[in-house]
């Protein structure tokens, strides 16, 4: 059974390796130093000195294990590394295994830093070397993890048997289980803010939420979430739902619920998401509320859709937006973070022959790519817990949402990768066109609120700050603590974390941060103060949703968000 789990775990590594390869990366095979990277290592004197130190440490480690000299701790895990926290790792044999691994990992990463190549290639090699190093950790294999062996003995092998069953189930569904999914259900305890679907087409459903206050602001609010995942990241459980909180502040709130693309929709383009998505949704909001303008709140790729829609709307004289809020949105892709290692011209070229006939980019493939950016936390942690220990992870709504992925159309996604990431065209006025209109973001003069998260590994906050150099209207930049999701979805009621504000906007983001003021609690408070003056006066809340033209189709959260990617 131990060997089966050991072999199964190795197969999981090969699976993730193939995923990275298909996304443009070149990770190493399990079982040795990446052969194609060895040629990049530069035998300079300082590198040879590091290698000599490594061999000396390994010799001391071995002599300590066999008793030829006193055993000693030659290396400790990095701060925050919880893989070796259990006391079982202090056993002499497993302490040797642990330190051997840590020493080798350190040597590999230092070798990469001395690679005789340019900075871009060195970063790529370092990233995939780290992926390799994380994957071969002794904690990830049954035979070299003392916690797994102890639990197997205590349960008479039941933990291994349970782990095998969990692994087979996850292989079948194509994703690692990261939470107890039996606890959650969309429409039952997730996405339960009252409302209704008041419009739908083949691309999205438009939700309108039931007012919870007697008075509402006269200017409605349209929320455009990302189309990569389901919208309910903004409407999780009642206590951490941003949508519910917004409604409670007195906003007539509408939200776009994107449809997970089906095979017959495989020819959808970025133009379609603008024309039949953003612009169509805004048109319906105007007709239902009978208001000329609305405020728009967008999140992640939803912000890029809205930003690219605005030049088109301007060219048509559609002055429909009062203000724009961008939550963790990257428009300047000069430094996109580690995701860049999965995006290159090889990937684009491999897709080009399929663009005309269309296709679907699996949401599960996208989810695996994002998980690999934090492999120890989102992959190997659960491999050990689920497959080697046979345990079920605790319920966590954010992780349930994280695994509830959505498909994208191949032409739309490829256009996005090529123009935004590889060419960085959003920073180059009129370098490309959408819906027949040259795109120039420097012509956007709308009041804009830009939020970024300091520890965000998907949208680096310094890159999000680049929006301050593009838009020409009044702009407020606010930085929150934590990461892409936890930093954004930070309920006021919890009063956790903090955020930074600075009224000045110097060109350098580091200069902005140096003079920024830290404030306790959720950044939502600051945003509410900013938005209220742009929301008009308070009027009586509507007594019904939709209108005579746009009647209620079905209760929120609607059908589209409940569709699961198989």
């Amino acid at each position: 059974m131990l060997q089966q789990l050991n072999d199964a775990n190795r197969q999981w590594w090969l699976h993730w390796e193939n995923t990275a390869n298909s996304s443009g990366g070149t990770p190493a095979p399990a079982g040795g130093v990446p052969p194609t990277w060895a040629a990049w290592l530069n035998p300079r004197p300082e590198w040879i000195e590091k290698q000599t130190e490594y061999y000396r440490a390994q010799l001391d480690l071995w002599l300590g294990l066999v008793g030829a000299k006193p055993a000693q701790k030659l290396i400790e895990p990095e701060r925050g590394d919880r893989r070796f926290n259990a006391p079982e790792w202090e056993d002499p044999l497993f302490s040797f295994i642990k330190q051997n691994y840590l020493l080798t990992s350190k040597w590999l990463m230092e070798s990469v830093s001395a690679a005789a190549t340019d900075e871009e290639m060195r970063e790529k090699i370092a990233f995939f070397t780290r992926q390799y190093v994380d994957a071969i950790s002794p904690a990830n294999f049954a035979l070299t993890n003392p916690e797994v062996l102890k639990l197997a003995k205590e349960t008479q092998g039941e933990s291994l048997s349970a782990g095998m069953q969990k692994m087979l189930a996850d292989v079948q569904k194509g994703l690692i289980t990261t939470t107890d999914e039996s606890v959650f259900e969309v429409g039952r305890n997730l996405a339960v803010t009252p409302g209704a679907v008041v419009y739908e087409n083949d691309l999205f459903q438009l939700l309108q939420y039931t007012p919870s206050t007697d008075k509402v602001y006269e200017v409605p609010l349209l929320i455009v979430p990302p189309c990569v995942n389901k919208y309910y990241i903004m409407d999780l459980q009642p206590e951490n739902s941003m949508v519910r909180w917004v409604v409670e502040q007195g906003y007539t709130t509408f939200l776009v619920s994107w449809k997970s693309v089906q095979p017959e929709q495989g020819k959808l383009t970025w133009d379609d998401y603008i024309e039949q998505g953003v612009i169509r949704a805004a048109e319906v909001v105007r007709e239902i509320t009978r208001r000329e303008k609305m405020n728009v709140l967008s999140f992640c790729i939803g912000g890029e859709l809205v930003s690219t829609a605005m030049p088109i709307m301007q060219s048509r004289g559609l002055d429909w937006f009062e203000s724009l809020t961008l939550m963790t949105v990257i428009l300047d892709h000069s430094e996109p973070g580690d995701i860049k290692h999965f995006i290159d011209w090889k990937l684009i070229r491999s897709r080009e022959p399929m663009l005309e006939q269309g296709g679907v980019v699996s949401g599960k493939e996208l989810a695996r790519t994002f998980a690999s950016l934090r492999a120890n936390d989102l992959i190997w942690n659960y491999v050990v817990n689920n497959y080697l220990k046979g345990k079920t992870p605790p319920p966590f709504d954010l992780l349930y949402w994280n695994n509830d992925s959505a498909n994208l159309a191949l032409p739309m996604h490829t256009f996005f990768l090529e123009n935004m990431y590889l060419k960085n065209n959003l920073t180059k006025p009129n370098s490309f066109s959408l819906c027949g209109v040259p795109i120039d973001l420097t012509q956007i003069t709308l009041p804009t609120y830009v939020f970024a998260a300091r520890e965000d590994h998907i949208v680096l906050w310094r890159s999000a700050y680049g929006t301050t150099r593009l838009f020409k209207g009044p702009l407020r930049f606010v930085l929150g603590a934590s990461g892409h999701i936890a930093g954004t979805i930070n309920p006021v009621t919890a009063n956790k974390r903090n955020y930074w504000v600075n009224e000045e906007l110097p060109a350098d983001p580091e200069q902005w941060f140096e003079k920024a003021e830290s404030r306790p609690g959720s950044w939502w408070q600051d945003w509410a103060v900013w938005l209220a003056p742009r929301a008009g006066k308070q009027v009586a809340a509507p007594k019904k949703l939709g209108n005579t033209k746009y009647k209620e189709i079905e209760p929120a959260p609607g059908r589209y968000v409940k569709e699961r990617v198989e």
Side-chain angles (χ1 to χ4, degrees), residues 499-541:
Y499 60 96
W500 291 267
V501 297
N502 183 353
E503 303 298 335
E504 298 180 1
L505 296 173
D508 185 356
E510 293 298 340
Q511 290 182 5
W512 179 92
F513 186 72
E514 285 176 8
K515 296 183 178 181
E517 172 194 347
S518 175
R519 296 180 181 175
S522 171
W523 68 274
W524 296 1
Q525 303 168 93
D526 183 85
W527 176 69
V529 171
W530 178 88
L531 187 63
R534 296 167 174 84
K537 63 184 179 181
Q538 296 233 328
V539 297

Side-chain angles (χ1 to χ4, degrees), residues 222-287:
L222 173 63
I223 300 176
V224 183
C227 49
V228 177
N229 288 89
K230 306 293 181 63
Y231 83 80
Y232 65 88
I233 183 58
M234 305 186 69
D235 188 23
L236 291 166
Q237 300 180 82
E239 61 270 19
N240 60 349
S241 168
M242 187 174 191
V243 168
R244 178 179 290 264
W245 182 82
V246 165
V247 172
E248 290 173 347
Q249 306 313 300
Y251 290 95
T252 300
T253 305
F254 295 82
L255 182 143
V256 172
S257 174
W258 299 106
K259 183 177 179 63
S260 180
V261 171
Q262 304 302 306
E264 62 272 17
Q265 299 175 290
K267 292 187 178 182
L268 287 170
T269 65
W270 193 272
D271 285 28
D272 294 321
Y273 275 78
I274 289 176
E275 196 78 72
Q276 298 303 320
V278 175
I279 296 178
R280 182 59 183 140
E283 184 177 33
V284 175
V285 170
R286 291 179 80 246
E287 291 186 42

Side-chain angles (χ1 to χ4, degrees), residues 88-324:
E88 287 79 11
W89 286 101
E90 298 306 312
D91 173 90
L93 175 60
F94 291 106
S95 177
F96 169 81
I97 292 173
K98 174 186 72 174
Q99 292 189 76
N100 176 279
Y101 163 74
L102 293 174
L103 285 169
T104 301
S105 301
K106 183 172 181 286
W107 171 74
L108 275 173
M109 297 308 299
E110 288 178 344
S111 298
V112 167
S113 68
T117 183
D118 59 73
E119 184 64 26
E120 180 179 353
M121 179 57 72
R122 189 180 297 110
E123 285 186 18
K124 191 176 186 104
I125 296 172
F127 175 79
F128 285 109
T129 300
R130 172 55 67 186
Q131 295 274 302
Y132 171 78
V133 162
D134 289 344
I136 63 170
S137 165
N140 298 339
F141 298 90
L143 295 176
T144 52
N145 188 323
E147 299 175 69
V148 172
L149 296 174
K150 179 183 178 182
L151 184 60
K153 182 179 179 181
E154 291 173 348
T155 62
Q156 297 182 328
E158 287 297 321
S159 59
L160 299 178
S161 178
M164 180 66 71
Q165 295 301 314
K166 292 178 183 297
M167 185 203 69
L168 292 174
D170 281 1
V171 168
Q172 187 173 12
K173 77 175 185 179
L175 281 174
I176 295 176
T177 298
T178 57
T179 185
D180 185 352
E181 297 184 356
S182 66
V183 173
F184 302 108
E185 181 183 348
V186 176
R188 179 175 62 84
N189 57 2
L190 297 174
V192 294
T193 301
V197 175
V198 293
Y199 172 83
E200 69 180 36
N201 60 21
D202 291 339
L203 191 56
F204 75 96
Q205 288 187 318
L206 184 67
L207 307 183
Q208 181 181 1
Y209 290 97
T210 305
S212 60
T213 55
D214 294 333
K215 297 279 189 178
V216 296
Y217 289 103
E218 62 178 341
V219 179
L221 176 69
L222 173 63
I223 300 176
V224 183
C227 49
V228 177
N229 288 89
K230 306 293 181 63
Y231 83 80
Y232 65 88
I233 183 58
M234 305 186 69
D235 188 23
L236 291 166
Q237 300 180 82
E239 61 270 19
N240 60 349
S241 168
M242 187 174 191
V243 168
R244 178 179 290 264
W245 182 82
V246 165
V247 172
E248 290 173 347
Q249 306 313 300
Y251 290 95
T252 300
T253 305
F254 295 82
L255 182 143
V256 172
S257 174
W258 299 106
K259 183 177 179 63
S260 180
V261 171
Q262 304 302 306
E264 62 272 17
Q265 299 175 290
K267 292 187 178 182
L268 287 170
T269 65
W270 193 272
D271 285 28
D272 294 321
Y273 275 78
I274 289 176
E275 196 78 72
Q276 298 303 320
V278 175
I279 296 178
R280 182 59 183 140
E283 184 177 33
V284 175
V285 170
R286 291 179 80 246
E287 291 186 42
I288 289 177
T289 62
R290 297 181 182 179
R291 299 293 177 183
E292 289 294 320
K293 293 190 176 185
M294 69 203 71
N295 292 302
V296 181
L297 168 65
S298 60
F299 186 17
C300 196
I301 192 175
E304 294 187 70
L305 286 169
V306 173
S307 296
T308 51
M310 290 180 63
I312 298 163
M313 296 174 70
Q314 288 176 346
S315 74
R316 299 175 183 177
L318 306 180
D319 185 18
W320 293 353
F321 295 164
E322 184 70 31
S323 75
L324 173 62

